[in-house]
């Protein structure tokens, strides 16, 4: 998921020489695509047994546990400094607690296929916001065209020519707000947490820990303790956290280190394809022609927004 629980772009310390990897990066890339693509299915299954805030809290608990184990193995320490932790608190809200919760609430009323496609709009929101918030990110004709094309794809997915007939407006709006939260969070991170000197793993672990604390405070206020714990939704939440949040972050961290962020972020374009296939095949969700066609237009527009002009 876009995006999803990635760490801030911070300076990484020089890494010691590592043994040759036994798993090719392409296989890890495919695994990451599958994990994040199936995350929307897992959210849908989780909300069948638990409240959305409970799904998000469980996701964060399991994800934080995986990051904590990784930090212990690498002997990483949490970052220091009150200012850093204050900025990480905001980052945790914008990049984890808020979008995770919004997607969980959205999937109460919309199919997981639509949620996955809404997630693919994050690069479009990011490009639109960066033109305003980041002075060094200059627009080009190609990128502006990509932005327009992408949002045309969104209208196609939603069936705008039919007056959005049969569409749950609230759930769709929540999913789109979740996808908007990611680029807002990344712009905030870029402005406040670059150059802290802490490792990416350390910052990510702290960020997930803070998001877990935020949900631990909010969840008891808005939900009651479950009277029963259905097994399948519980396993879905555990997989969502351990795999879709914890392990996925570690895989992404390794990919960025090995092949660079440009190649690693291409996973974004595979997520809606896998989410759609999973929703249709596993959950039996219906699929009209406008959904895959609109999704392809969204992805084409998102790809164009990432095209950089010559220096």
């Amino acid at each position: 998921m876009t995006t999803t629980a990635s760490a801030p772009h911070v300076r990484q310390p020089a890494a010691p020489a590592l043994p040759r990897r036994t798993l090719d990066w392409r296989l890890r890339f495919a695994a990451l695509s599958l994990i994040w693509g199936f995350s929307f299915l897992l959210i849908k299954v989780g909300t069948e047994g638990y409240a959305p805030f409970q799904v998000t809290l469980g996701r964060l608990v399991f994800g934080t546990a995986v990051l904590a184990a990784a930090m212990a193995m690498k002997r990483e320490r949490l970052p220091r400094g009150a200012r850093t932790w204050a900025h990480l608190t905001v980052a945790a809200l914008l990049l984890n607690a808020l979008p995770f919760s919004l997607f969980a609430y959205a999937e109460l009323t919309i199919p997981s296929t639509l949620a996955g496609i809404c997630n693919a709009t994050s690069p479009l929101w990011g490009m639109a916001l960066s033109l305003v918030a980041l002075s060094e990110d200059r627009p080009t004709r190609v990128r502006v065209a990509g932005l327009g094309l992408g949002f045309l794809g969104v209208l196609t997915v939603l069936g705008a020519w039919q007056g959005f007939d049969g569409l749950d407006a609230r759930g769709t709006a929540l999913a789109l707000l979740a996808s908007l939260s990611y680029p807002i969070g990344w712009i905030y991170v870029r402005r406040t947490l670059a150059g802290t000197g802490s490792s990416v793993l350390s910052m990510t672990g702290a960020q997930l820990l803070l998001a877990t604390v935020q949900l631990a405070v909010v969840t008891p206020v808005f939900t009651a303790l479950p009277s029963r714990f259905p097994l399948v939704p519980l396993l879905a939440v555990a997989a969502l956290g351990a795999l879709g949040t914890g392990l996925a972050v570690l895989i992404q961290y390794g990919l960025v280190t090995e092949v660079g962020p440009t190649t690693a972020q291409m996973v974004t374009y595979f997520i809606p394809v896998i989410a759609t296939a999973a929703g249709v095949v596993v959950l039996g969700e219906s699929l009209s022609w406008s959904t895959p066609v609109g999704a392809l237009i969204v992805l084409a527009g998102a790809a164009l927004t990432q095209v950089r002009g010559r220096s």
Side-chain angles (χ1 to χ4, degrees), residues 9 29 255-256 259-269 306 308:
H9 294 296
F29 183 96
L255 286 174
V256 171
V259 300
T262 301
T263 300
Q265 74 177 0
M266 293 296 290
V267 71
T268 303
Y269 305 114
Q306 304 306 304
R308 302 288 174 176

Side-chain angles (χ1 to χ4, degrees), residues 33-58:
S33 301
L34 286 171
I35 290 171
W36 273 341
F38 271 85
S39 291
F40 297 95
L41 179 150
L42 294 174
I43 292 172
K44 174 66 88 173
V45 175
T47 55
E48 292 176 355
Y50 302 96
F53 275 139
Q54 293 169 347
V55 171
T56 304
L57 176 59

